[in-house]
Amino acid sequence: MRFAAMVALVLMLSGCGTLVGAGAGGLAGNQFGHGSGKTAATAAGVVGGGLLGHALTGD
């Protein structure tokens, strides 16, 4: 829960929500899977985080 609150705060203050969201999503996605599954999870995290960051901040 702390991580999510920290990411939300950074998104609001940074003004570059898509980039911060993509970075956070990639970091979170990288924690799952092995081999090519880890790569796919990281890519999915980057895309999902970027979309979420954009939706939250509008930029």
Side-chain angles (χ1 to χ4, degrees), residues 6-49:
M6 181 180 71
V7 170
L9 179 62
V10 169
L11 286 173
M12 290 185 334
L13 296 177
S14 71
C16 55
T18 303
L19 292 175
V20 174
L27 181 65
N30 194 38
Q31 305 303 311
F32 301 99
H34 299 286
S36 62
K38 187 174 200 114
T39 303
T42 302
V46 167
V47 171

Side-chain angles (χ1 to χ4, degrees), residues 11 16-19 21 47-59:
L11 286 173
C16 55
T18 303
L19 292 175
V47 171
L51 290 172
L52 181 62
H54 179 75
L56 290 175
T57 62
D59 61 0

